[in-house]
Amino acid sequence: MTGLRKGAIGLTVWLCVTPGFEPAHGAQEPGVTAAGAVQRAPRALLDRYCVTCHNTRLKTAGLALDALDLSDTEGSAETLEKIVRRLQTGDMPPAGQPRPEPAIARAAAGQLASALDRAAAANPAPGAPPAFRRLSRTEYRNAIRDLLALPDLPREMDVDVVLPPDNSTTGFDNLAELLFVSPTLLDGYLTVARRISRLAVGDPTIPPLVETYRFPLDLRQDEHLDPLPPGTRGGASIRTTLPLDGEYLLRVEFAGRGAGTEQVVTAIDGAEVSRVPVFGPAGRPLAEGRFLEEPLALKAGPHEIAVAFVQRLATTTELLVRPALRGRGTQPSMASVTITGPARASGPGDTPSRQRIFVCHPARGDEARSCARRILARLARLAYRGPVAAEDVDELAAFYDAGAAEGGFEHGVQQALARLLVSPLFLFRIERDPAGTTPGAVHELDDLALAARLSFFLWSSLPDDTLLDLAEGGLLRRPEVLHQQVRRMLADPRAGSLVTNFAAQWLYLRDVASRRPDEDAFQNFDEGLRQAFQRETELFLRHVLLEDRSVIDLLRADYTFVNERLAKHYGIPHVYGSHFRRVDLPADSPRKGLLGQGSILMLTSYATRTSPVLRGKWILDNLLGSPPPPPPPNVPALEESAAGDRPLTLREAMVRHRANPVCASCHARMDPLGFALEHFDAIGRRRHRSESGAPIDASGVFPDGTAFDGADGLRQALLDKRDRLVSTLTEKLLMYALGRRITHADAPAVRAIAQGAAAQDYRFSAIVLGIVHSAPFRMRQALPTAPSGVAASTQRPGD
């Protein structure tokens, strides 16, 4: 198996005009009314504002618009779509150059878009994605979770630890063109398959588990941490899966010295099992050295193991004189928690995994093989996402036979399961063109391929029995059935992947964990605040997306989710405790929507200061769908001081930077958007002066002339362009759903989805349903040649 083929990258087109060609911004040609100009659009608009640069002589950006046939919606579709986008976003003509009135530009864009939409409806072009593509690491992990009922894996078996990360340079890590197969990845698959099959079956010879949780050095443990038991402080809650019934050893390493009696409480699955003193009245350790070791009799299967200090009341004087320890607070803390075992295993127990796997148990030896085939056929149907042929089961049964001869029935099943987890039918999603299909012809997906697309879109995982039953019965493609299944799947907890996988990548939230604000500049920042940032945005997105709110709430929501730590950081009063809750924001609050959340503001800053460039780029890319091109090489650094060594403000430095013509075109679009958020520092605190001490100027102007001031003004300006937000979200979600880049051929579908959602107040489910019913999602274009690189064993029944 080799890497999957790459797709083409669309070119960026800039529509501009030559300086001096027209009068001042917004001026109209004498004697031409707006209505008359609308009637002449779009040819007249291009001739007047664009062809001065984009003509057959200059061919700026490779375009000759004077020779463009606007009626050729098939041959010139790519160029026409670029024109439509530039007119809709207002990016061109560039700032300071003559441009048409907004109504004229909208009319021209609308006429071109309508013609393109009619052509697309008559001749759908859903694209020809690869016939097979590898599961992403996230999809593979979720597939194992759902196939074998393994929600939480020990670290040594964790797919995110054992397998290398996927390439996400295009924004999402599930794009087929980047899902290569390397020797390192193949070795990782084999390792994961061996280990997980032993865990799922409950192999009595499995090596002892060693699961260690190390506390971040800057996680303060003075107060209660959610979701640990009430009346505790510090500590950790560890979710893992134990392989066997038996005795496990819990080992806690402490940091610091007590100033009074301290106790550690241990709870298993929410029930307290012990309360042990670890420091005496004088603060001396009672446990040997700096460790507490406690044996625990535990059953195999998934568990939540919580360890924390019992909260005690300390005097004010004691808290004032006690020194802080390694950033963990003023009281004794935990450095690590380790679970090992089992020391004396008593059996595999009755785990959810074993219940999922062993649907039968042979009463006699001669029943073992038929029972094994029944087990393997059921698992293979789910893993391979459809009916399995007898030869597929035969292949797995051969591994069962070898394992059973070595170690009995369950060992045989474990060996066959390990083989299933590395089968190409499991590792790859396969879409085949019907036999006899003409290369390049467009056809609907069959029901099984549609079921897989649907489940990996909404769940990032395998289709369940309900989906497979409908697909095998040929019912899933019926619009009413498909609609009902989308509703059912969005209500399922597995739809949380739309937050943790799609939205986390769309908004770059996966990077929150790696951000390290400067310790000297931001002394109040710690791990607890970082986790609060991440949790706030996750809960907010879950509320908007999965509770089916209008996606416009992403910008305008007058509520957020905070705990006491985050509320203090934001200046929100009367919030107490470590648990998160929804709070309504005042009418004049700057925290409305994503633009006021600490996670976004920290992500778009440097370690020591804010970055209007990063913040403006984030808005252009993620909210307006108009990302700037990559910066040219050898970009000069910002000047830091003016004449007389006076420090420059960031705005002054950026103005000087934009004086370079190479930098001006992009920064004129990015910088104003970022400066509007300058009242938030690099960790999202409100401020009125910049790092240089100068008063903040948060005013700005869009290229189309729309002015705004501060976060509130920017938010309102973006709300006035809500169609761009909806179109951008639709494009991102469609890319994620299809596992490929969006091309100009997808633009008509994006417009149709966004227009359909408008009639339902832009509810998230309306966008999802629009995607699922769209031609790009339900159809594909036949490949010019038969796929290669997958063994003949990937043939399915009926092929």
Side-chain angles (χ1 to χ4, degrees), residues 352-368:
S353 294
R354 287 179 59 83
Q355 294 172 14
R356 180 72 54 86
I357 294 169
F358 293 107
V359 294
C360 62
H361 297 273
R364 303 189 310 273
D366 58 354
E367 297 177 353

Side-chain angles (χ1 to χ4, degrees), residues 492-549:
D492 189 282
R494 284 169 286 188
S497 65
L498 289 168
V499 173
T500 59
N501 197 20
F502 163 69
Q505 293 187 81
W506 166 38
L507 301 174
Y508 310 157
L509 298 176
R510 289 182 175 180
D511 295 339
V512 171
S514 63
R515 293 295 180 180
R516 293 287 181 269
D518 184 80
E519 294 181 359
D520 294 327
F522 305 103
Q523 297 182 13
N524 290 331
F525 184 85
D526 57 20
E527 182 63 23
L529 186 58
R530 181 201 313 281
Q531 293 178 9
F533 281 169
Q534 197 153 12
R535 185 63 174 157
E536 174 196 23
T537 305
E538 179 182 330
L539 290 172
F540 176 73
L541 290 168
R542 189 175 292 273
H543 180 74
V544 173
L545 303 185
L546 300 187
E547 295 190 21
D548 203 20
R549 312 278 296 188

